[in-house]
Amino acid sequence: MASLIKITYISFLLSLLALCFLSNANASANHTSTLVVDGSKGSGRQIPDTFFGAFFEEINHAGAGGLWAEMVRNRGFEAGGANVPSNIYPWTIIGDESSILVSTDRTSCFERNKIALRMEVLCNAKSCPNNGVGISNPGFWGMNIEEGKTYRVIFHARALGPFDLKVSLVGDDGVSVASTQVGRDGSYAYKWTRMETTLEANATNHNSSLQITTNHRGVIWLDQVSAMPLDTHKGHGFRKDLFQMVANLKPKFFRFPGIFLSGCYVEGGYLRNAFRWKDSVGAWEERAGHFNDVWHYWTDDGFGFFEGLQFAEDVGALPVWVFNNGIGLHDAVDTSAVLPFVQEALDGIEFARGSPDSTWGSVRASMGHPQPFDLRFVAIGNEECGMPNYLGNYLKFYAAIKRSYPDIQIITNCDGSGQNLDMPADFYDFHIYTNAEDMFYKNTKFDAAPRSGPKAFVSEYAVWKDDARDGTLLSAVAEAAFLIGLERNSDLVHMVSYAPLFVNNNDRMWTPDAIVFNSHQHYGTPSYWNQQLFSESSGATWLNSTLQTSSTKLVASAIEFNNSEDNKTYIRIKAVNFGDDPENLKISINGLTSNVQKSGSKMMVLTAPNVMEENSFSEPNKIVPQHTLLLNANKDMDVTLPPYSVTSLDLLR
Ligand code: AHR
């Protein structure tokens, strides 16, 4: 059955490609439409360099258990709260009450996170079970351990006497894939001691756990236990495959809150649980971690402010820091009391770009980055416009930041697309989650928006709910039309990012998302691939074009861009067919001094036999752009657009 489906699908793709090459005589299209493009030199308008970016939020375990490669979950035993005894979830105990007693106390050597784990081992070499007793951590729905790869395990320990611990990575079949002995002979055991070891895996198991066991009677305390693969992006701690997925989108900015993350995460359900950047920098062992009460999980804050800035730099994007403005989802600081929050934000900016001699710049330098990060954009909160204290708080932040950092571009979350705003701002933030049809027709959303005020930053957009499920073709096609509209309005809309970026398939708090992953697999949804079709638009030239059509389901545009891979100049035509029938599109490019080149021109089509189809771990590439050479490339040419499709033609100049 599976192979029959595959064959059917392949024949669909072949017929699709044939369809695209055929002239309108061969397709049963409803209309014939014409896109007239002005390709003459100097007639276009430059799209801002920052146009396409990425939005990151600690939602769906995007960072903890995702992009951040730390494998141990609740590594400091703080997730159960500050009171003891506390829940040690997801740690479990190896052994029973006759052989080991496990509890928590407040004896940690780390000031900001006092909880430590106490193991009282009641058995010895003769009486303990064969594999010893101890504790086990399953990571985030299983640790991905791969044969030949090396993993660094660090933990802190103290004991009432000598200790000898076995550190192992154990597959879900109970078989150890790597292990080593770590111990102290007693001379150091009474003090907290940092222990570090590396383990090389002799087999692959995607659902492993970390076990720390012993068969020596005694009392041992453990704290801040970390297990990381050595093989992360540049050794910076980012999971390589997920890093690459973002990098392939060529994002020019990276919006993150609280310092690395954005969205509601930056607000917190209640302010006491909001992300605090100062708690997320410095040595990882010293980070308190916090409960993400918006998306309901604990994060150890390994992926903190510094790591957000580092990620942006590594991926070649400008960081956009969204910080808390003294407003949570359910509470708010009165404007008369907001100045300490303003100071937090100023300190955060100093951390990012102050000199290594400054108070907070020196902390950044001590973390290995003496050079300032290129922070040019900050957003004052997320989605609070209209709440009682927003305007008052905003104005305090705005004035203080502009006074100290006049060059920083400030983003309000009041929507200025309908009318001019009553507050100073460089950008206004615009979010849209809607159904597919509405998203398609929203391609004209900014056509009549005021031009005299701040620029627009569409920092969250996506089709959702029934039309989207977990990421359908239908969503991607509608979003493509919306993006074409944003490109057309890029004199006003300077930045755009899809949201959310990531989902760990084991914690779908929000769906759909651009990139789906588990411990060892990942794939892009059609919306992810749609973004790739637009990744060359940042800094490109938008070309004047007119679509002559009687169809209401067609949107098309043209840009000219320089392809950094071959350093050649292309005209890229993008066309969206949001209808049930194929559509014929005549393309006519005026003003070229010579014809486009057949050799080197190419076409990409994103479509599927059924609009509600999705990618999955078993079929990650079911809906991805199909690339072909464009042998009939011409400045006057016909193309047939399949039903529900995004077509992109790269015509080599
Ligand atoms: O992207 C998911 C959520 O949608 C974000 O947290 C919030 O900003 C928006 O409501």
Side-chain angles (χ1 to χ4, degrees):
M1 185 61 176
S3 59
L4 183 62
I5 293 172
K6 204 175 241 172
I7 291 168
T8 311
Y9 197 76
I10 290 169
S11 43
F12 161 74
L13 292 176
L14 291 174
S15 56
L16 163 73
L17 294 176
L19 184 63
C20 292
F21 276 116
L22 294 175
S23 74
N24 55 9
N26 295 316
S28 56
N30 269 356
H31 315 88
T32 290
S33 309
T34 304
L35 181 72
V36 182
V37 179
D38 182 355
S40 52
K41 277 274 168 243
S43 66
R45 164 172 47 75
Q46 196 188 341
I47 298 173
D49 288 335
T50 52
F51 195 59
F52 275 100
F55 157 95
F56 180 91
E57 175 173 15
E58 184 58 84
I59 183 174
N60 305 322
H61 279 86
L67 185 56
W68 188 242
E70 172 62 69
M71 298 191 300
V72 177
R73 185 171 178 183
N74 187 17
R75 65 186 177 188
F77 308 103
E78 307 294 322
N83 298 324
V84 292
S86 56
N87 190 351
I88 60 170
Y89 177 84
W91 292 90
T92 54
I93 301 168
I94 301 168
D96 61 23
E97 290 162 13
S98 68
S99 55
I100 183 169
L101 296 176
V102 173
S103 60
T104 50
D105 63 23
R106 296 184 50 83
T107 62
S108 171
C109 54
F110 299 110
E111 281 312 312
R112 290 199 288 182
N113 40 21
K114 292 305 293 179
I115 305 292
L117 185 94
R118 182 180 186 275
M119 294 197 314
E120 186 171 351
V121 178
L122 307 172
C123 58
N124 59 23
K126 284 192 184 147
S127 57
C128 282
N130 279 349
N131 290 326
V133 296
I135 53 170
S136 175
N137 189 291
F140 298 87
W141 302 280
M143 297 178 182
N144 178 35
I145 305 301
E146 295 179 2
E147 184 175 357
K149 293 216 167 152
T150 306
Y151 301 85
R152 177 182 288 125
V153 177
I154 298 172
F155 61 93
H156 298 258
R158 179 172 88 87
L160 294 182
F163 65 84
D164 185 15
L165 297 172
K166 184 170 161 192
V167 177
S168 334
L169 295 165
V170 180
D172 55 357
D173 52 5
V175 177
S176 171
V177 289
S179 76
T180 188
Q181 293 293 135
V182 178
R184 276 285 181 256
D185 61 9
S187 47
Y188 299 100
Y190 294 98
K191 301 190 285 192
W192 278 104
T193 308
R194 183 179 196 271
M195 319 291 291
E196 177 170 341
T197 188
T198 51
L199 303 174
E200 187 179 326
N202 55 32
T204 293
N205 188 299
H206 304 305
N207 192 15
S208 298
S209 56
L210 173 73
Q211 299 190 356
I212 302 178
T213 51
T214 185
N215 56 12
H216 286 251
R217 192 190 303 274
V219 181
I220 305 168
W221 284 262
L222 295 171
D223 200 7
Q224 296 301 341
V225 184
S226 165
M228 294 271 275
L230 289 191
D231 188 24
T232 62
H233 178 78
K234 286 188 173 176
H236 287 163
F238 308 124
R239 192 172 131 176
K240 269 186 156 177
D241 58 338
L242 299 184
F243 180 94
Q244 199 53 50
M245 284 293 278
V246 183
N248 290 348
L249 293 176
K250 303 186 184 172
K252 297 297 186 228
F253 66 84
F254 189 59
R255 175 180 185 250
F256 64 92
I259 302 305
F260 180 50
L261 329 179
S262 332
C264 299
Y265 177 67
V266 82
E267 304 170 82
Y270 290 90
L271 283 171
R272 65 175 173 274
N273 293 320
F275 180 82
R276 298 301 167 121
W277 76 263
K278 286 181 182 171
D279 288 339
S280 78
V281 298
W284 62 268
E285 292 100 325
E286 299 281 0
R287 300 185 191 179
H290 79 288
F291 181 62
N292 174 354
D293 68 345
V294 179
W295 305 118
H296 310 297
Y297 58 91
W298 176 264
T299 90
D300 292 315
D301 288 335
F303 199 17
F305 191 22
F306 178 91
E307 288 76 18
L309 293 163
Q310 184 67 68
F311 182 87
E313 183 177 275
D314 285 356
V315 86
L318 293 172
V320 177
W321 180 34
V322 187
F323 54 71
N324 185 291
N325 56 1
I327 303 181
L329 290 178
H330 307 300
D331 57 358
V333 173
D334 191 82
T335 299
S336 62
V338 84
L339 284 186
F341 287 76
V342 173
Q343 190 57 49
E344 285 276 303
L346 292 172
D347 291 346
I349 297 171
E350 183 179 283
F351 176 90
R353 51 181 261 179
S355 99
D357 301 328
S358 62
T359 306
W360 288 104
S362 69
V363 177
R364 182 198 68 239
S366 73
M367 294 179 72
H369 204 291
Q371 293 304 317
F373 287 107
D374 194 2
L375 179 64
R376 303 183 203 173
F377 303 95
V378 298
I380 301 177
N382 176 72
E383 291 188 350
E384 303 96 359
C385 183
M387 288 172 79
N389 298 342
Y390 183 74
L391 183 59
N393 289 10
Y394 175 89
L395 292 173
K396 297 273 187 202
F397 280 94
Y398 184 90
I401 293 169
K402 283 290 183 189
R403 202 177 307 124
S404 301
Y405 302 97
D407 63 300
I408 284 201
Q409 305 272 290
I410 296 183
I411 303 160
T412 171
N413 56 58
C414 290
D415 176 7
S417 64
Q419 57 191 31
N420 279 317
L421 296 173
D422 58 351
M423 59 177 65
D426 299 297
F427 283 86
Y428 62 84
D429 197 0
F430 181 88
H431 295 180
I432 178 169
Y433 296 97
T434 187
N435 63 54
E437 186 167 85
D438 187 51
M439 185 66 88
F440 175 83
Y441 288 114
K442 282 283 188 312
N443 79 81
T444 59
K445 165 72 195 167
F446 289 90
D447 290 0
R451 263 36 191 186
S452 56
K455 301 300 180 195
F457 179 9
V458 179
S459 72
E460 297 184 27
Y461 76 88
V463 171
W464 70 350
K465 298 190 175 168
D466 290 350
D467 286 348
R469 298 182 187 164
D470 290 337
T472 58
L473 172 72
L474 182 65
S475 314
V477 176
E479 288 156 5
F482 179 63
L483 290 180
I484 285 177
L486 298 187
E487 262 183 16
R488 185 176 61 245
N489 284 287
S490 56
D491 61 314
L492 170 65
V493 182
H494 279 204
M495 302 166 96
V496 50
S497 46
Y498 178 91
L501 183 60
F502 284 121
V503 61
N504 184 317
N505 196 41
N506 296 287
D507 182 31
R508 273 192 184 274
M509 284 301 298
W510 186 288
T511 194
D513 308 270
I515 301 166
V516 184
F517 63 88
N518 58 21
S519 77
H520 63 289
Q521 294 168 296
H522 67 266
Y523 65 87
T525 58
S527 295
Y528 170 87
W529 292 107
N530 178 52
Q531 290 177 71
Q532 275 216 347
L533 295 180
F534 286 80
S535 61
E536 298 296 349
S537 296
S538 303
T541 303
W542 179 79
L543 300 176
N544 273 301
S545 59
T546 313
L547 181 62
Q548 298 157 354
T549 182
S550 56
S551 167
T552 56
K553 301 288 185 184
L554 218 57
V555 177
S557 73
I559 61 167
E560 182 177 275
F561 73 101
N562 187 64
N563 186 338
S564 55
E565 278 156 31
D566 59 11
N567 202 26
K568 291 182 175 163
T569 302
Y570 293 82
I571 291 177
R572 174 170 287 185
I573 310 285
K574 290 192 288 289
V576 171
N577 179 2
F578 192 64
D580 291 326
D581 299 309
E583 292 283 349
N584 293 322
L585 180 67
K586 286 182 176 298
I587 296 167
S588 176
I589 306 175
N590 301 326
L592 295 185
T593 46
S594 58
N595 204 346
V596 298
Q597 300 180 39
K598 293 190 190 326
S599 164
S601 293
K602 45 193 181 273
M603 178 171 71
M604 291 155 284
V605 183
L606 185 69
T607 191
N610 177 338
V611 286
M612 298 311 284
E613 285 195 34
E614 303 184 13
N615 291 332
S616 61
F617 288 129
S618 54
E619 290 183 282
N621 297 322
K622 191 171 180 185
I623 308 167
V624 297
Q626 301 300 316
H627 297 249
T628 49
L629 296 176
L630 201 50
L631 302 175
N632 63 337
N634 199 302
K635 64 188 173 63
D636 294 299
M637 61 182 291
D638 291 349
V639 61
T640 301
L641 310 173
Y644 291 104
S645 64
V646 188
T647 300
S648 170
L649 310 176
D650 280 357
L651 306 173
L652 180 59
R653 289 200 70 160

